[in-house]
Amino acid sequence: MKEKDDSVQQVKILNELIENAMGLPIESQNLLLILAKGMAYTRDCLVKQNTAEQSLTSVDEPETKE
């Protein structure tokens, strides 16, 4: 359910950016697009790094049996 909430929030933010960017000159819109792509790339890198660290942590820590 949290993933759906995150997706809805992301769509709302994207729609707000598009609506506000429509009044800007094309050059400014291009800069916003470049910035948004850079932010998406950074987010993807952080998610991949976090996933890799979690998998390494789960492999390094032995499970305890009771």
Side-chain angles (χ1 to χ4, degrees):
M1 186 67 177
K2 180 165 173 40
E3 289 179 12
K4 184 177 180 181
D5 291 340
D6 289 344
S7 294
V8 170
Q9 184 66 22
Q10 289 175 1
V11 169
K12 287 181 183 179
I13 292 170
L14 181 58
N15 286 337
E16 183 178 343
L17 283 171
I18 291 169
E19 288 175 17
N20 290 324
M22 287 173 34
L24 296 173
I26 295 296
E27 296 81 17
S28 297
Q29 291 179 18
N30 190 36
L31 289 174
L32 285 175
L33 179 60
I34 292 168
L35 179 63
K37 286 181 178 181
M39 292 170 66
Y41 177 77
T42 302
R43 181 197 61 213
D44 292 343
C45 289
L46 291 173
V47 167
K48 287 179 184 177
Q49 179 183 8
N50 189 26
T51 303
E53 287 176 355
Q54 286 179 353
S55 65
L56 285 176
T57 302
S58 64
V59 170
D60 290 343
E61 295 177 0
E63 294 182 24
T64 58
K65 293 184 180 180
E66 293 182 28

